[in-house]
Amino acid sequence: MIVGEDARDDLPWTGERYIPHEGGSLIAYEHVHRYLLASALADGRNVLDLGSGEGYGTALLASRASRALGVDIDPAAVAHANAKYGSPTVSFEVADMAEASAVAPGFDLVVCFEAIEHVASPDDVIANAQRALAPDGLFVVSTPNKKVYSDDRNFVNE
């Protein structure tokens, strides 16, 4: 599977959400490598992707998982992801990852990449991930290094 093939379609490039084929190779590397790493942990697992955005990452996880669910707060991103990547083993739902009702329990692997810093209460996201995890599940999360990503470059990102 080529991630993001024909990705230049209905979601606009804003720089805030990674869209394959937009923003250059450095941006691609910064985002895709996280999912490639996590996909090694996804073999045969039931996977939840919090803040799934365009859907390319959830689709990558689904290539090795038994099932993958991506959740995102943006209905346009969810509609795009379902149309582009939806299948019997990968689906997307509109949900606020900081809301307790966002996800059901029973996931073997929960990932949240470059999204937790966008919510008012990151602790709620962590609590929801914990609720979603099966007893022996894994939670993998990443967030930008503010000093390197913003401060050192005098870059402001809300």
Side-chain angles (χ1 to χ4, degrees):
M1 170 182 162
I2 298 174
V3 175
E5 189 174 343
D6 300 324
R8 290 174 228 178
D9 46 354
D10 60 338
L11 283 180
W13 165 254
T14 64
E16 201 51 40
R17 170 194 300 120
Y18 174 66
I19 298 176
H21 302 296
E22 300 291 342
S25 59
L26 180 59
I27 297 292
Y29 173 75
E30 287 179 359
H31 288 81
V32 174
H33 81 277
R34 292 174 183 89
Y35 283 103
L36 291 174
L37 173 71
S39 70
L41 303 171
D43 281 338
R45 292 178 180 251
N46 188 19
V47 178
L48 173 64
D49 184 6
L50 298 173
S52 56
E54 189 270 351
Y56 73 93
T58 311
L60 264 175
L61 294 168
S63 70
R64 296 190 56 181
S66 62
R67 177 180 166 266
L69 171 64
V71 298
D72 199 278
I73 198 167
D74 181 3
V78 170
H80 165 90
N82 272 314
K84 187 169 189 66
Y85 304 106
S87 75
T89 60
V90 62
S91 60
F92 301 86
E93 295 178 4
V94 176
D96 181 341
M97 65 183 170
E99 293 288 324
S101 62
V103 295
F107 290 91
D108 306 304
L109 174 64
V110 175
V111 302
C112 182
F113 295 139
E114 309 303 289
I116 197 169
E117 70 277 7
H118 292 276
V119 299
S121 178
D123 290 342
D124 290 342
V125 176
I126 293 168
N128 287 339
Q130 185 175 13
R131 259 192 299 281
L133 283 171
D136 60 346
L138 300 171
F139 178 42
V140 182
V141 61
S142 71
T143 187
N145 179 332
K146 185 177 181 293
K147 180 182 180 324
V148 173
Y149 183 74
S150 298
D151 298 347
D152 289 352
R153 297 173 27 204
N154 293 319
F155 177 70
V156 176
N157 183 334
E158 294 178 30

